[in-house]
Amino acid sequence: MNKEFAKPEEYGLADLLCCAASREVQDNEIVFAGTGLPMVAIMLAQKTHAPNLKLIFEAGTLDGRPPEIPTSVGDARCEMGASRSSGLHDAFSIAQRGYVDLGFLGGAEVDQYGNVNTTCIGDYLSPELRLTGSGGNPDINSFAKRTVFIMVHEKRRFTEQVSYITSPGWRVRNWPGGETVHRRELYGAAYRGGPSAVISTLGVFRFDEESGRIYLDTCHAGNTPEQIRDMCQFDLDISRVSGETLPPTREELHYIHEVLDPEQIFIPKVKPV
Amino acid sequence: MNKEFAKPEEYGLADLLCCAASREVQDNEIVFAGTGLPMVAIMLAQKTHAPNLKLIFEAGTLDGRPPEIPTSVGDARCEMGASRSSGLHDAFSIAQRGYVDLGFLGGAEVDQYGNVNTTCIGDYLSPELRLTGSGGNPDINSFAKRTVFIMVHEKRRFTEQVSYITSPGWRVRNWPGGETVHRRELYGAAYRGGPSAVISTLGVFRFDEESGRIYLDTCHAGNTPEQIRDMCQFDLDISRVSGETLPPTREELHYIHEVLDPEQIFIPKVKPV
Amino acid sequence: MSSGKRITLQQAAEIVKNGSSLTFSGFTIWRRPFALVYELIRQRRKGLHLIEVNGGPQTEFLVGAGCVDIWESCWVGHELYGKYGANLSRKVGNKEILVEDYSHAEMLFRFSAAASGAPYAVTQTSLGTDIHNPAYDTLGNAGLRDGRRIPLHKYRFTEDPFFGAGAQVMVPAAKVDVAILCVQQVGEEGTVRVNGQFYSDPEVARAADVTIVMAEEIVPEEYLRRDSDLNTITSFEVDHILEVPFGAHPTGMFGRYDVDGAFLKDFYGRTRTQEGFDDFAKEWIHGLDHLGYLEKLGWPKMLNLKANTALKYSTGVKRGQ
Amino acid sequence: MSSGKRITLQQAAEIVKNGSSLTFSGFTIWRRPFALVYELIRQRRKGLHLIEVNGGPQTEFLVGAGCVDIWESCWVGHELYGKYGANLSRKVGNKEILVEDYSHAEMLFRFSAAASGAPYAVTQTSLGTDIHNPAYDTLGNAGLRDGRRIPLHKYRFTEDPFFGAGAQVMVPAAKVDVAILCVQQVGEEGTVRVNGQFYSDPEVARAADVTIVMAEEIVPEEYLRRDSDLNTITSFEVDHILEVPFGAHPTGMFGRYDVDGAFLKDFYGRTRTQEGFDDFAKEWIHGLDHLGYLEKLGWPKMLNLKANTALKYSTGVKRGQ
């Protein structure tokens, strides 16, 4: 199939994010997927460069091969073609046991160490806005070797310090004291890695495992490193930018729109001008 | 059916033990059963006075209604008609959760506090004879509200102190120190009772919950309390004897030999003289 | 054999008292015991303590109706049909409800511990997050930790002494008064067969003191016992049963019917305010019984949601809408 | 899709090294991976560390053959066909083997902990017994507690801090190198479907670093995935698969064949002495391969053991004999 890159007018931002996320997956990996764009990204990887990846849905579907995109991890479509339809105890036990290579997650806020908040905006004890809560975000992030966050980029979301650490980044709190330590010091046998990338609507960010700090890796077309730095409340490291985020290929766009999400449940189709 | 007591020549010792064990079961109870005579006893209770008892087999069969006596708790006959065929995690979780009313167990040695040994004869570190090991004996005995032991009565088996406490009686060891304490002090929330009877080939013994000591309740026909006391290494309390162990009824013998164990796998048929 | 476990929807709701702690079957927007949730709202139950592996529309309905004083869980929303729990969020903002946050795996391990009679579980999840921040112990701050239903601590830290695996979080067993399950089939004696993912249903059924099972169908116990290795929950773990077809609506049931996304979207859109919730409840809950509710939903909608028996999901639903 | 997981019996045995720790599927005299146990004996494997939820004939064969240095479990015997483990007992008497005793539930919870990646489990079973006697810590007394495969302590005591439930025993996760399972069906990619009781198979498969599945049949993966809620172990938890019909003989397999009681009785009767064992092994193990073994057993016996497909057990076997 046509592996040429598509032209800018042929795809939208959601397509770009989906393809960038898909390329984080390597073949044969065991991937823990949430609902929405991550699921499209993983299934895209399955159709293209990672045919042997194994998909786990938090609700209990193990090595799933849904024929159509499920709209939720509890969806009946998850069960079809799976190795097992089971429950949460299996899904989380498998994760804690160390089987999971990669998890895709989202967040409302992220800080420079990859700590993510999905719990509340403002003081936890008197929040401005209560959000959905953690879900499995901290669990997948605790147990997987790598996690990738997909986020809408607004300056208030790329914050100096998240209101509430829902999901552990590279430098976390050592409770009950609360002093900041490297994740490695806290996790012991469960230390297998941590957040490896944030894919925002402006660019792709990665982390330095030692310092635990985020840096800009690639900019999506039309954004400069400096512009992206201005869109962060913390001082973004732009010294390691490797170039522009690669656009979707025609093959990828075909799979997204003709095979995986023809109903445009998660990814709208760019209308020809 | 004929609920008259059978005449002495119509039944054997195994019949008597089986019926005595069966009468320990009350209707609607959840009963944890091992292989052999206990299983016949429980199924006998199911056929007679306890039609609604629920049977659990350690290997994972829950609320079983085997059409024939299984020869082991892993037997395919366990599965037939059961509510669930599952695994050990369910069986032991259900037990620890407190569902089990009664467990039937065996033992090589028992002491005056109902501690039972199925592990070794002689010093554990240099045993005269290594036995089968604990199996689920201590587990069922820890979690059930009542346990009943069925044992061959030899003087060396009714001992002052068992070689090894495999299964906890009423007075047990408080490790790491090893001082003897009442079971109630040790078990906390898991304290629900303990050994309630020993059915030996000579008589039926019960326990005083407060002192934890065994006493003789009934003698099987042909044995006097004094004779039974002489067959114990400890000083058996015979002050509370209530009489003779009731013989099997004709109905019970019918079920044992015509319905439950016609193949005489566990209970031999007494041959007419 | 009849076990006398069969009760009505009204009787089932009466088992849940003001102040009871409560949990449910299902996952997010799937297999939630809605017919009974509606009945609890009709009976104006108060002071409930919800302890959920994860929340969903059932949380939002009960919270919106003012039935809930404490919510202990990890997540609430309507997935694709409403991205957060607007009713919970409003009540948190107004300090009308106490929220105790754990992670999803922590909640699951808490229920697993309770289901196996253990007082707690050890795990390495969520280390270093604010979930473990001692200042954020809501029930402790409210002075509610009595060591009976509510554990004396939200969590404790320890170290693995066996393999040097490092820091461990001890999370207390999730003990609840009543679990309400919504499944495909239950036998007359209580044996449950769930089709598809069983989520955390086996754990919540066993963790609760009283377990009520609502099923699409009550089937002959013998039918289920013919293949005992296909069953999900044991007869004696279930105290009461009732047959309520389409009882999970607006959530979905594997193999039977899909999620009614349009209904959830409408709920989510209309219940940002208390007035909006009250209006919605007047329209869809109060003054109706379960059959009246189904009549009001109507045949065209229900036939459209009905799953294709080969595929196990509806081919008629326009998804994401 | 072929996964390249298929290996031969000989290759499977070679995965188990001298000194490996090893565990098995099944329960007492059911679904034990005998074809592979025989092959390990033929290959004269040494120094094995068996960690078993419970033992059975497979233990007795491996112990009798001198393959085992350490046995960590709770029970060994042949049920109705041999009431204790005579080979183990002999080697314990001669101090040729180390035995570490736990209770059955403790072994199960140890495997459950390992399977869920936890370093230990807490339980209240067996409190006050000599299982917890500190003097009887065999592996500790032998100086083998390295904190890697063998935990630093046999157990630890603690108290429940959450509900005042009292004394708790912490039992270490059972970590093993290799698990060998014997089941009815495995798919080409490793998905396992067990019929009947699954005992502790899911836990041991996940607790092990390498999992080998011997099945009566390797079936198309698609066949198993058509009903994913009937499967027992996930594809990616299984590393190697092999098809070995009647591979559990002389133990039984639900729905396929019964226990060969006569064979076990013969083994039990003849192997009280080492000479007896060696003689038995010469007759039934060495110099044979699996097909040769089946030929030697012969058609009349195997047809007699074969389960009736409606009842799931053999109607031909005279039980107890």
Side-chain angles (χ1 to χ4, degrees), chain A residues 194-259:
Chain A
S196 70
V198 174
I199 299 172
S200 87
T201 41
L202 299 182
V204 175
F205 306 77
R206 299 194 182 277
F207 293 88
D208 183 285
E209 182 166 342
E210 285 315 306
S211 71
R213 287 201 65 216
I214 199 168
Y215 64 88
L216 183 62
D217 180 18
T218 63
C219 306
H220 301 338
N223 301 285
T224 67
E226 292 73 18
Q227 283 171 331
I228 296 176
R229 187 176 57 194
D230 285 347
M231 287 293 287
C232 298
Q233 291 187 344
F234 51 80
D235 182 27
L236 178 67
D237 176 0
I238 56 169
S239 71
R240 297 162 77 167
V241 174
S242 66
E244 197 166 275
T245 309
L246 291 177
T249 67
R250 296 231 162 80
E251 181 194 31
E252 287 169 330
L253 291 175
H254 164 79
Y255 279 119
I256 293 173
H257 296 294
E258 308 304 322
V259 178

Side-chain angles (χ1 to χ4, degrees), chain A residues 16-233:
Chain A
L16 181 68
L17 264 55
C18 181
C19 294
S22 168
R23 292 167 195 170
E24 297 291 320
V25 184
Q26 292 164 26
D27 200 14
N28 295 305
E29 288 194 318
I30 297 178
V31 183
F32 217 102
T35 305
L37 197 140
M39 210 182 277
V40 185
I42 294 166
M43 289 176 67
L44 176 60
Q46 208 167 28
K47 297 283 180 200
T48 56
H49 64 283
N52 302 304
L53 74 83
K54 314 285 183 199
L55 199 46
I56 299 180
F57 300 121
E58 200 161 334
T61 299
L62 305 168
D63 192 4
R65 290 175 191 161
E68 299 181 28
I69 288 290
T71 51
S72 103
V73 299
D75 191 332
R77 285 163 186 80
C78 295
E79 273 93 338
M80 283 196 81
S83 175
R84 289 181 69 212
S85 293
S86 166
L88 279 74
H89 190 267
D90 270 327
F92 284 127
S93 292
I94 282 171
Q96 188 166 253
R97 178 74 178 84
Y99 280 94
V100 180
D101 295 295
L102 178 62
F104 278 103
L105 300 165
E109 289 183 338
V110 63
D111 71 18
Q112 61 187 318
Y113 296 116
N115 295 304
V116 164
N117 174 19
T118 65
T119 301
C120 63
I121 300 300
D123 176 18
Y124 179 77
L125 299 174
S126 278
E128 289 162 42
L129 181 65
R130 169 77 198 188
L131 305 171
T132 56
S134 72
N137 204 316
D139 309 307
I140 299 169
N141 203 9
S142 293
F143 296 140
K145 297 188 184 83
R146 309 193 313 282
T147 45
V148 173
F149 286 86
I150 301 174
M151 287 179 64
V152 174
H153 203 127
E154 298 174 36
K155 186 160 186 169
R156 63 186 177 95
R157 289 169 178 269
F158 281 67
T159 178
E160 186 71 29
Q161 196 176 337
V162 292
S163 299
Y164 181 100
I165 301 179
T166 307
S167 198
W170 288 101
R171 293 186 67 81
V172 292
R173 299 299 182 84
N174 189 8
W175 300 112
E179 56 282 12
T180 301
V181 295
H182 193 283
R183 176 190 182 101
R184 190 192 289 120
E185 290 175 45
L186 204 54
Y187 271 74
Y191 177 75
R192 303 182 184 111
S196 70
V198 174
I199 299 172
S200 87
T201 41
L202 299 182
V204 175
F205 306 77
R206 299 194 182 277
F207 293 88
D208 183 285
E209 182 166 342
E210 285 315 306
S211 71
R213 287 201 65 216
I214 199 168
Y215 64 88
L216 183 62
D217 180 18
T218 63
C219 306
H220 301 338
N223 301 285
T224 67
E226 292 73 18
Q227 283 171 331
I228 296 176
R229 187 176 57 194
D230 285 347
M231 287 293 287
C232 298
Q233 291 187 344

Side-chain angles (χ1 to χ4, degrees), chain B residues 120-200:
Chain B
C120 63
I121 301 299
D123 176 17
Y124 179 77
L125 298 174
S126 276
E128 289 163 41
L129 182 63
R130 168 76 199 189
L131 305 171
T132 55
S134 71
N137 205 315
D139 309 308
I140 299 169
N141 203 9
S142 294
F143 296 140
K145 297 188 183 83
R146 307 192 314 281
T147 46
V148 173
F149 287 87
I150 302 175
M151 287 178 65
V152 175
H153 202 128
E154 297 173 37
K155 186 160 185 169
R156 63 186 176 96
R157 291 170 178 269
F158 282 67
T159 180
E160 186 72 30
Q161 195 175 339
V162 292
S163 300
Y164 182 101
I165 302 178
T166 307
S167 199
W170 287 101
R171 292 186 66 81
V172 293
R173 299 301 183 82
N174 188 8
W175 300 114
E179 56 282 11
T180 301
V181 295
H182 195 283
R183 177 192 181 98
R184 190 192 289 120
E185 291 174 44
L186 205 53
Y187 271 74
Y191 178 76
R192 302 178 186 115
S196 68
V198 175
I199 299 172
S200 87

Side-chain angles (χ1 to χ4, degrees), chain B residues 218-252:
Chain B
T218 64
C219 306
H220 302 337
N223 300 285
T224 67
E226 292 73 18
Q227 284 171 328
I228 295 176
R229 188 177 55 194
D230 285 348
M231 286 294 285
C232 298
Q233 291 188 343
F234 51 81
D235 182 27
L236 178 67
D237 177 358
I238 57 171
S239 70
R240 299 163 77 168
V241 173
S242 66
E244 197 167 276
T245 310
L246 291 177
T249 66
R250 295 229 165 81
E251 180 194 33
E252 287 170 329

